[in-house]
Amino acid sequence: MEKLIGKICDEYNFIDMEYKEENGRQLLYTERGLHYLHSCPPAYKHKGFLVEKVIDAIQSNCSLEVLPVCKTREGGVHLKYDDKLYYLQEGLRETNVEEHYYLLGKTLAEFHKATCSCGWDKLYTPYLSNGSWNSMWEKKCKEYEEFLDDLDELECYSELDVYLLTMFNYVNQLGKTAIKYLDNNGYRKMVPQIAKHGKIAFQNFQEGHIIFHESGSCYLAGQYSWVLDIRTRDIGQGIKWLIRKHGWNEEHVIQFLKGYNCVAELYKEEYAFIYAILLYPSKFLKSVEDYSVLSVEEREQLGEEWKTGLEKELVLMEHVLGEYPQAIAEHFTVTIPEINWLWRFSRNDEKTICIRDEESFGRSFESSYFVRHD
């Protein structure tokens, strides 16, 4: 991190800087005030034309403002370090608003609604995720399997190698079940209909992408993470973010959804797609991807904390998958299918997350994993 901070100081002419990570946001405290630090893949370097078009739509269709990106000393909007692009935005004097999660959902809906007028263009294809969740998720599951094939060539395994080998069946089953869940609930059929209510989503939406200023204005941040996708992606990722931050808090989740619905009502199928997002082990598979490119020495430095973080997320989401359908049925009178095999695990013993029913894992996905409670 020290090398990156030095690079940022050099590119933006800062004299001194302190880095902090709070609530998932990267914050830089400098002699010129607070700045937000964002990162994105190198392929997003030329996304400026899409960002500008979306900003034009937002300015034309709603009162939200988009936080400007700071320029480097050479006039650019990014700096490249290792395999990522980084960009800065000046920090704001934020305020704590009443009914925070209701307003968060409401503001997100306003953002999506403002992007309805955005047209399609072949130039946007590299940033298109619309209708491709199945293939994206399947690719990540396949990469996990290929990584384990590479491990087979090693003469000895580290403790973390053994952990990833041990967890493969369970995590792979989560991923494949999430994919099947999308198919069984009409994902591909519903995408064109949902897309009419918003063309742009964040890659991984979280609270820090919406900033409530003390003046009463509301700003959007992190615009280089915008992709072409349906609104449900942001809603599902937003709920996942809230759960990671607070654990399962039904009031926060329901207020977030009610705030969204007050601007644009969700289709009943979208509640099922959100459930699929909660089911899909995105953090675990991303961690495997990052782990696979590390050297043996770098892997050994990760330690028990890395493993504990992954296990904690799996246990947390397993609990949520039991609570979410009941909350949706109670507050929105929408019944979504629950998943049968997940409840084979004891919900009172966190260690049983690693126990697997081998017979169940060997069954076809055409089997009755989805049980409706009508």
Side-chain angles (χ1 to χ4, degrees):
M1 195 67 198
E2 287 185 12
K3 291 183 179 179
L4 173 59
I5 295 301
K7 178 82 170 176
I8 293 172
C9 285
D10 184 49
E11 289 289 337
Y12 291 91
N13 294 320
F14 291 123
I15 298 173
D16 191 24
M17 178 182 298
E18 181 183 1
Y19 170 85
K20 287 186 179 180
E21 188 169 338
E22 297 177 2
N23 295 327
R25 291 199 292 177
Q26 299 183 84
L27 306 179
L28 302 177
Y29 293 90
T30 77
E31 74 278 5
R32 300 205 301 269
L34 172 66
H35 288 74
Y36 308 122
L37 174 64
H38 305 276
S39 63
C40 60
Y44 289 4
K45 181 178 181 180
H46 303 292
K47 194 190 271 190
F49 62 91
L50 172 61
V51 169
E52 290 174 6
K53 184 164 187 174
V54 176
I55 290 175
D56 287 343
I58 292 170
Q59 291 175 338
S60 300
N61 297 313
C62 71
S63 61
L64 299 177
E65 300 183 51
V66 180
L67 202 61
V69 175
C70 300
K71 296 293 183 68
T72 67
R73 64 180 182 179
E74 300 295 332
V77 294
H78 306 100
L79 69 87
K80 190 172 186 302
Y81 180 77
D82 284 345
D83 59 346
K84 289 184 180 180
L85 294 178
Y86 292 88
Y87 60 101
L88 301 186
Q89 296 183 289
E90 288 190 16
L92 299 176
R93 295 178 65 90
E94 301 179 39
T95 185
N96 294 320
V97 295
E98 293 185 14
E99 299 183 313
H100 175 80
Y101 296 106
Y102 182 89
L103 287 178
L104 189 68
K106 180 176 181 290
T107 305
L108 182 61
E110 291 170 350
F111 160 63
H112 290 151
K113 189 174 181 179
T115 68
C116 290
S117 62
C118 294
W120 297 103
D121 193 300
K122 291 181 179 179
L123 292 174
Y124 303 157
T125 303
Y127 318 116
L128 177 62
S129 301
N130 210 18
S132 62
W133 294 6
N134 314 61
S135 58
M136 289 191 302
W137 293 2
E138 189 172 357
K139 180 181 177 183
K140 294 299 181 185
C141 291
K142 184 65 175 176
E143 287 174 354
Y144 188 5
E145 186 174 356
E146 290 172 349
F147 167 66
L148 296 186
D149 290 340
D150 293 337
L151 282 185
D152 286 341
E153 299 178 5
L154 299 178
E155 294 182 0
C156 60
Y157 300 134
S158 70
E159 183 179 343
L160 293 180
D161 291 341
V162 172
Y163 172 70
L164 294 179
L165 285 164
T166 304
M167 292 303 298
F168 173 74
N169 280 346
Y170 179 72
V171 172
N172 188 54
Q173 188 77 347
L174 284 175
K176 289 188 174 181
T177 304
I179 295 166
K180 192 67 179 178
Y181 195 90
L182 287 176
D183 293 336
N184 284 9
N185 286 281
Y187 168 68
R188 293 187 184 278
K189 182 180 74 173
M190 285 298 300
V191 163
Q193 186 69 18
I194 299 170
K196 295 177 182 178
H197 301 279
K199 303 289 179 60
I200 303 296
F202 287 88
Q203 190 167 20
N204 289 293
F205 176 74
Q206 57 180 262
E207 283 184 83
H209 287 133
I210 293 177
I211 301 171
F212 298 104
H213 190 255
E214 63 179 9
S215 66
S217 298
C218 187
Y219 288 81
L220 301 172
Q223 52 264 44
Y224 274 84
S225 69
W226 286 340
V227 292
L228 300 166
D229 208 340
I230 56 175
R231 63 187 183 179
T232 326
R233 175 176 182 156
D234 279 345
I235 300 167
Q237 294 288 4
I239 291 174
K240 210 166 191 176
W241 166 254
L242 294 180
I243 292 167
R244 285 171 178 156
K245 181 179 178 182
H246 301 291
W248 172 252
N249 186 310
E250 183 174 322
E251 182 180 356
H252 290 169
V253 171
I254 296 305
Q255 285 303 308
F256 177 68
L257 288 170
K258 285 184 175 180
Y260 196 99
N261 274 289
C262 82
V263 174
E265 188 171 355
L266 298 177
Y267 295 104
K268 62 182 178 61
E269 290 87 351
E270 290 183 87
Y271 294 100
F273 303 156
I274 292 168
Y275 191 67
I277 291 174
L278 298 175
L279 173 63
Y280 178 66
S282 55
K283 182 178 179 180
F284 195 104
L285 292 173
K286 180 63 171 67
S287 296
V288 172
E289 180 184 358
D290 294 340
Y291 183 85
S292 67
V293 298
L294 297 178
S295 66
V296 174
E297 294 76 15
E298 289 172 323
R299 292 178 186 180
E300 291 176 349
Q301 293 174 5
L302 291 177
E304 188 70 19
E305 185 178 346
W306 185 82
K307 171 184 169 183
T308 301
L310 295 182
E311 288 185 336
K312 182 179 178 181
E313 167 119 343
L314 290 175
V315 172
L316 174 60
M317 289 305 168
E318 185 201 356
H319 172 72
V320 169
L321 291 169
E323 301 291 343
Y324 173 81
Q326 299 172 30
I328 296 305
E330 178 182 348
H331 294 278
F332 301 102
T333 62
V334 174
T335 301
I336 63 174
E338 293 188 48
I339 298 175
N340 207 3
W341 65 269
L342 285 174
W343 317 139
R344 298 177 188 277
F345 303 103
S346 167
R347 303 179 70 174
N348 297 317
D349 180 2
E350 294 186 359
K351 293 182 180 179
T352 59
I353 194 74
C354 294
I355 296 176
R356 291 177 293 281
D357 181 334
E358 297 299 339
E359 180 183 355
S360 175
F361 281 122
R363 294 177 183 173
S364 165
F365 284 103
E366 299 302 327
S367 300
S368 180
Y369 282 124
F370 309 117
V371 181
R372 288 189 181 274
H373 300 278
D374 297 323

